[in-house]
Amino acid sequence: MKVLLVGEFSKLHNNLQHGLRELGVDVVTANFGDFFKKFHSDMKLFKIPKGKKYDFLRNEYSKYIYHKFIQYDVIQFISERQLCADYGFEKHLPVALVKNAKLSVLLLAGCNYQFSVADRILPITPCAECIKYDKKKKYGCEHRYDTKIRKLAYAMQKNVDVIVPTAYEFYLCNQDSEFRDKIVDPIDYPIIVGKEKKHHFNDKLLVYHPLNREGAKGTVMIRKAFRILQQRYGEQAEFIIKGNMPFDEYSEFMKSVDIIVDEKNGITFGMATLMAMEEGKIVVTNNYRNTIECAQYQHVKEAPAFETGTTVEQIVDNLSYVIENKKMFDKIAKQGHDFVARYHDDKVIAKRFLDLYERKLYEKGIKEL
């Protein structure tokens, strides 16, 4: 079986590729590197500028991509927009690929229209702060208001064979989708799990908030809380906000810190949180995990992660509790590594994807690859 993983968010597809290769699958990645994060890509994708003078180049590149991609048995997109379809020439390409592939798979792993209106059913989403601090556009969220992007997402979901949610939020907000019959049971994020590390926590704790999308992550409140905490615990801890780094640089920096304060505006865990847990870091992230009702995500409640809080005062109180209970760190670090190893090991997740691919190919009458 030949599998093509198109697009990248926070190393999700790179980790899945690692797991699938461990199972003997011929798997290739094609992406833009997640831009400043500079993730690996076997086939590097390129943006071609807008404008009529680039029409010929766009058309030829589109043909090249189509004929190269369609050779794979499975084409999996990490989101509807991973060929930059809003730029013009590629708008028909992803739809043609999902219609004509032997098997096409679409992950629900990032923003789309359904998630942009998820505040109707979820107790917390990043949307309001994302629009205020990240988008800064007159018409706000493109997933909700840009007609071209909404049409592309609709066409992708209409024509794709399988839709796979990757987190509780995406699973829940798509349950009333017109194409819910294509949505299979969620599959968790894959993390490359190594041997449990020996945990050495700094005498003066390093508390780190990875800066990326300031609004979406709730950085504005976290920054205010850090200023208060720095005054309160300046002799015991140092509070750092730093980000927008290539992944290799970020990964190396993360190894030096003790506590990761990742996100405020979500419920379940992102890739950065899970990688930090696997490294044995103390993690403070997201909120409202006690509200999860669906059976597929009950295990999230087992995770040894502290909730961030939804106000500056709550963030200060929650982090104060963590800092003042350093004696718990060794136990929590072990529990975090074990949680990731149990539920997110890339080989376990890859096996679930492989079973899905084989089952759906069989259902389509494609029995030998």
Side-chain angles (χ1 to χ4, degrees):
M1 181 186 297
K2 294 175 63 178
V3 176
L4 176 65
L5 305 176
V6 183
E8 185 57 279
F9 286 157
S10 300
K11 213 185 176 192
L12 194 167
H13 266 172
N14 271 239
N15 285 358
L16 179 57
Q17 179 187 44
H18 182 273
L20 286 169
R21 283 182 170 171
E22 289 288 305
L23 300 178
V25 179
D26 181 359
V27 56
V28 169
T29 56
N31 60 66
F32 294 94
D34 207 3
F35 304 101
F36 71 83
K37 297 177 186 177
K38 297 182 180 179
F39 288 113
H40 169 77
S41 178
D42 299 313
M43 283 192 278
K44 181 70 174 176
L45 299 180
F46 298 94
K47 282 186 180 181
I48 296 177
K50 294 181 285 185
K52 288 188 176 181
K53 66 179 180 179
Y54 296 105
D55 281 353
F56 176 78
L57 184 57
R58 288 197 299 266
N59 288 332
E60 291 303 307
Y61 185 55
S62 182
K63 292 176 187 176
Y64 167 79
I65 290 292
Y66 177 85
H67 290 295
K68 196 168 184 68
F69 282 15
I70 206 68
Q71 298 174 31
Y72 289 84
D73 302 306
V74 179
I75 304 178
Q76 178 167 297
F77 287 84
I78 209 165
S79 80
E80 297 95 337
R81 296 179 61 198
Q82 282 305 297
L83 291 173
C84 293
D86 52 313
Y87 280 76
F89 87 100
E90 301 96 335
K91 64 184 177 182
H92 303 296
L93 175 58
V95 177
L97 285 167
V98 296
K99 287 176 71 172
N100 299 328
K102 291 179 183 177
L103 180 70
S104 56
V105 180
L106 173 65
L107 301 189
L108 298 175
C111 296
N112 63 8
Y113 174 73
Q114 287 91 344
F115 187 68
S116 76
V117 294
D119 54 356
R120 301 170 185 172
I121 59 171
L122 292 172
I124 191 168
T125 76
C127 297
E129 289 181 67
C130 177
I131 290 170
K132 183 175 181 180
Y133 298 109
D134 299 336
K135 301 297 182 185
K136 300 178 182 178
K137 293 180 180 178
K138 182 178 180 181
Y139 299 108
C141 176
E142 66 271 22
H143 298 282
R144 189 183 297 191
Y145 297 114
D146 190 312
T147 304
K148 291 187 296 182
I149 291 173
R150 286 187 61 180
K151 284 183 176 179
L152 170 70
Y154 181 89
M156 287 285 283
Q157 293 191 26
K158 179 180 179 181
N159 290 288
V160 77
D161 293 314
V162 188
I163 301 174
V164 184
T166 59
Y168 170 72
E169 291 91 324
F170 304 128
Y171 173 74
L172 192 64
C173 72
N174 282 272
Q175 289 305 292
D176 292 328
S177 165
E178 182 177 344
F179 309 112
R180 59 186 175 273
D181 58 314
K182 297 181 180 183
I183 300 176
V184 297
D185 281 344
I187 301 179
D188 289 310
Y189 294 134
I191 302 297
I192 299 173
V193 177
K195 293 182 179 179
E196 186 179 350
K197 286 81 174 170
K198 291 184 178 179
H199 310 297
H200 299 288
F201 296 101
N202 294 301
D203 292 333
K204 184 173 185 178
L205 296 172
L206 295 181
V207 184
Y208 173 48
H209 172 62
L211 180 63
N212 185 355
R213 294 184 299 155
E214 187 160 317
K217 282 202 168 192
T219 303
V220 173
M221 282 191 190
I222 291 170
R223 183 179 284 111
K224 291 177 181 178
F226 273 19
R227 284 198 287 265
I228 296 170
L229 289 159
Q230 187 68 56
Q231 292 179 337
R232 184 181 297 181
Y233 296 105
E235 293 185 1
Q236 296 170 250
E238 181 180 354
F239 299 85
I240 304 165
I241 297 178
K242 177 181 178 181
N244 296 325
M245 297 178 278
F247 176 77
D248 289 345
E249 181 182 339
Y250 162 78
S251 183
E252 197 59 33
F253 180 75
M254 184 184 70
K255 293 175 182 177
S256 68
V257 308
D258 304 294
I259 301 170
I260 302 285
V261 183
D262 190 21
E263 302 185 54
K264 174 182 79 72
N265 293 325
I267 300 173
T268 45
F269 309 124
M271 291 289 290
T273 288
L274 293 167
M275 285 186 278
M277 277 192 204
E278 192 279 330
E279 281 282 338
K281 304 303 176 182
I282 309 305
V283 175
V284 182
T285 187
N286 284 333
N287 294 286
Y288 298 111
R289 290 193 285 280
N290 63 316
T291 66
I292 297 174
E293 294 182 352
C294 68
Q296 294 91 334
Y297 281 98
Q298 287 302 304
H299 65 280
V300 172
K301 298 177 182 179
E302 300 175 19
F306 297 91
E307 293 199 350
T308 311
T310 59
T311 66
V312 173
E313 292 76 15
Q314 287 177 357
I315 297 169
V316 169
D317 289 345
N318 292 348
L319 272 169
S320 295
Y321 175 82
V322 174
I323 292 166
E324 291 172 8
N325 285 275
K326 189 176 179 181
K327 61 183 181 295
M328 303 186 304
F329 283 11
D330 284 333
K331 180 180 178 181
I332 293 171
K334 176 174 173 44
Q335 290 174 338
H337 181 274
D338 291 348
F339 174 85
V340 175
R342 181 175 181 183
Y343 294 110
H344 294 274
D345 183 280
D346 64 303
K347 294 182 290 298
V348 174
I349 301 301
K351 183 62 167 62
R352 293 182 63 189
F353 272 104
L354 182 57
D355 290 345
L356 174 68
Y357 302 155
E358 290 176 341
R359 183 173 75 251
K360 291 299 179 179
L361 283 165
Y362 183 84
E363 289 173 4
K364 291 187 72 175
I366 303 170
K367 301 178 183 180
E368 294 185 11
L369 297 174

